[in-house]
Amino acid sequence: MKRPIPRDGDGNGNGNGDLLKMKKVKVDGDANAEENCVLRGMRYFDDNVLFEVLKHADARTLAMASCVNKQWHKTAQDERLWELICTKQWANTGCGEEQLRSVVLALGGFRRLHSLYLRPLSKPYSSSSSSSSSSSSPTSSSVWGPISQAPVAPRPKPLPPRLGKDAVHLSLSLLSIRFYEKMSNFNNRTR
Amino acid sequence: MILQSSKSKEMITMNQNEMVVDEGLLHDIMLNSPSLHHLPQTTHYNYNYNYNPFDDTTVSWINDAVSSPSQSQLTTTALHLPPPPPPQPLIDHQQTELLLPTEQQQQVEEDSAIRLVHMLISCADSLQRGHVAHAASLIDAMQSLQRHVTTASAIGKVAAHFIGALTRRIFAPPLTDRHGGVSVVANDDGGVLYHHFYEACPYLKFAHFTANQAILEAFSGHSSVHVVDFHLAHGLQWPPLIQALALRPGGPPSLRITGIGPPSPDRRDALRETGIRLAELARSVNVRFAFRGVAASRLEDVEPWMLQVRQEEAVAINSVMQLHRLLGSDSGIDSVLGWIRRLNPKIVTVVEQEANHNQTGFLERFTEALHYYSAVFDSLEACPNEPDKSLAEMYLEREIGNVVCCEGPARVERHEPLAQWKARLEKSGFKCVGLGSNALRQASMLLSLFSAEGYCVEEKEGCLTLGWHGRPLIAASAWQPFPLTPDPHPHPHWLP
């Protein structure tokens, strides 16, 4: 590995920094032009390897990773990764893993569950935490008080708090309602 | 997956004056009245006999009073009438108002709002005493005063709706005939308004989630369960229950849902469509599911045999804002509570508006309604603007209209406070089952996700209430029948 590999800009956090280092290791020394190095590198950057690496990412990193390119997008959207993120966060739900997986996947998947419901529930301090609340009216602030003027939250370094059983069940309920409302013949009646 | 759905057509009591309702004609679902000729001659719109003339007057006031352009556009196109010409002075007034300094304008508005409230109450008082002419003159005065109160505010909207309702009461005979009234079990607009009310504010979500929690707990340990829903609507209450049963440790039970609802006005079978959707969801999560629809325009018309309850099932009865409709007739509520008890359900969930709108005196009822709906509209205003609120407001307007204008069997919105429901249910042989801390936590969490500051959940003697700034507006409770002595001759509605 004698040829220096151009970096894609500085890492956006520890996760991406590590990933770039991984990429450096993987690319074999190729005598072609430097610009092609990155592309050739990606060819050897297997989906499986990416998957294994992303398993260790937190939610925010995973979400950012899905914005990098098509391959990363495809891999980062994998439900198994989001299942890991969801289950890391919550306490024992009382039902079997297999049971939970089949229900959540049927109703829309772990990624949706996390972004639409689990994340807002575990971050009650942000004023526009759910997609339905808008900040257009000054009175519609969250229950936790007028923190609508809070500065941009610093990158959450510590893990998000573990969600209790109630929050998990509520999220699952809301996911099921969303699934139901999105059913093809539902909108014909209500709109 | 077993899908069964049937409708007992022979038991449907069709409202004689029910007309074919297009979903766009939202106002048509309000009070039907055949008595067009009672209208004063001064109104100058062309009345098509297919449309409710009172809705034309309402439309005119709403077009004048309510500033939201989308709403007036909707009503104008829906009714296919030329837009009612707004009275010129009103427009001028509104324009000149914009020139007033804001503080002064606010003061004028506040004063006008207070005066409006007083005038509304004195108008109701005059009506109760029979001084119709005086009441009518007050209406005129209120209408001119209304121009000072912006209808973007809660009090403006409430005032507009109550003035409209009073006007209908004065200028048309109060509707007492059952066939002239609205279909009792539920709205027959396809549930559009109900759905918007569900999305816009947390009351119905609170009702559904709290009832589901009680039902889930009551069903634990049973392998065959049956839910009877007194008002199926779009079935939005049931996906979370199906999902929770799917995730039950030990596997899901087999679930049956029987949904009661009004017969569909057009050829669609709304109940069956909802049943199909619920079945589809249950199939996705591997829950054995069966659905039955019972179409009835009044809850009193439902007979227990129609529900096809099986002996080995655990039954849950769910009534969200339906029981109060039975209070119009003397025996209605008692007979329904009687057959509920005989079904021996594991749980009966009751959610009702927390207000006393069933008083015989008109003035008391009016005043109570004014306060109640002011609180509701206030709370609605604080909700996020994102799901459009105008249809939710129309839903409430319809309730207001029924409370104020109708008498006798046509008045179905006979809300009673929780204390009275408790007494009634205990007298009929039920005991209150505490809702538990799970329900309370879930309700609080739901509020934090969906709502604004100002909503409050309270627990009182095992029942939960959701309110606005300390005033409870909706109350949820759960009940179980006292054990009956075993019947040596089983009731005919038990299936073998």
Side-chain angles (χ1 to χ4, degrees), chain B residues 113-341:
Chain B
I114 296 173
R115 280 180 62 202
L116 261 181
V117 169
H118 286 144
M119 286 171 75
L120 276 168
I121 296 181
S122 56
C123 182
D125 185 44
S126 311
L127 266 183
Q128 177 162 286
R129 291 168 201 273
H131 304 154
V132 180
H134 183 239
S137 69
L138 274 172
I139 297 262
D140 283 336
M142 284 195 283
Q143 276 180 288
S144 55
L145 188 56
Q146 216 185 340
R147 293 184 211 131
H148 294 278
V149 184
T150 169
T151 46
S153 73
I155 186 61
K157 290 175 186 159
V158 170
H161 295 327
F162 274 87
I163 293 173
L166 277 174
T167 313
R168 285 200 298 280
R169 192 181 171 105
I170 292 174
F171 292 114
L175 302 168
T176 55
D177 178 24
R178 184 175 85 73
H179 289 290
V182 193
S183 155
V184 176
V185 173
N187 35 34
D188 42 356
D189 59 351
V192 178
L193 298 189
Y194 187 84
H195 187 250
H196 277 85
F197 185 63
Y198 176 90
E199 296 288 346
C201 49
Y203 300 107
L204 289 180
K205 293 182 195 111
F206 163 79
H208 291 175
F209 275 76
T210 309
N212 282 348
Q213 188 65 34
I215 294 174
L216 197 61
E217 286 169 14
F219 277 171
S220 85
H222 292 94
S223 57
S224 178
V225 299
H226 184 176
V227 174
V228 178
D229 188 359
F230 277 3
H231 177 29
L232 187 66
H234 293 308
L236 278 167
Q237 182 171 352
W238 307 117
L241 185 71
I242 296 176
Q243 168 270 119
L245 288 174
L247 286 177
R248 207 168 73 155
S254 73
L255 170 67
R256 286 177 62 214
I257 292 183
T258 298
I260 300 175
S264 308
D266 44 13
R267 278 202 255 117
R268 269 195 324 230
D269 187 347
L271 286 173
R272 185 164 172 272
E273 281 179 16
T274 305
I276 290 174
R277 274 196 293 277
L278 289 171
E280 176 66 35
L281 183 125
R283 191 181 61 82
S284 308
V285 294
N286 289 318
V287 174
R288 278 187 55 214
F289 181 79
F291 174 82
R292 184 181 184 80
V294 175
S297 46
R298 297 186 322 151
L299 201 49
E300 295 98 303
D301 298 333
V302 174
E303 299 279 327
W305 62 262
M306 293 180 209
L307 307 176
Q308 308 255 305
V309 172
R310 299 194 190 123
Q311 203 146 14
E312 73 277 6
E313 289 176 331
V315 178
I317 309 276
N318 180 72
S319 159
V320 174
M321 307 195 309
Q322 297 305 304
L323 287 185
H324 62 253
R325 296 167 180 269
L326 299 167
L327 297 176
S329 60
D330 287 328
S331 57
I333 183 73
D334 292 322
S335 73
V336 170
L337 287 180
W339 63 248
I340 291 178
R341 184 151 185 252

Side-chain angles (χ1 to χ4, degrees), chain A residues 94-95 99-100 103 106-107 120-121 130 132-134 136 139-143 145 166-167 170 172-174 176-177 179-181 183 185-186 189-191, chain B residues 23 190 195 198-199 209 234-236 239-240 243 246-249 251 270 273-274 277-278 280-281 284 382 384-386 441 445-446 448-450 452-453:
Chain A
C95 53
Q99 203 181 4
L100 184 66
V103 170
L107 293 178
L121 276 176
S130 82
S132 62
S133 76
S134 75
S136 51
T139 56
S140 64
S141 54
S142 76
V143 167
D166 300 309
L170 182 61
L172 291 167
S173 301
L174 294 170
S176 69
I177 293 179
F179 175 77
Y180 183 70
E181 284 184 326
M183 276 181 168
N185 50 359
F186 192 84
R189 292 195 59 229
T190 58
R191 299 286 176 261
Chain B
E23 269 192 348
H195 187 250
Y198 176 90
E199 296 288 346
F209 275 76
H234 293 308
L236 278 167
Q243 168 270 119
L247 286 177
R248 207 168 73 155
E273 281 179 16
T274 305
R277 274 196 293 277
L278 289 171
E280 176 66 35
L281 183 125
S284 308
N385 287 325
E386 210 11 65
R441 276 201 305 270
M445 218 177 287
L446 193 65
S448 72
L449 262 188
F450 282 112
E453 218 176 303

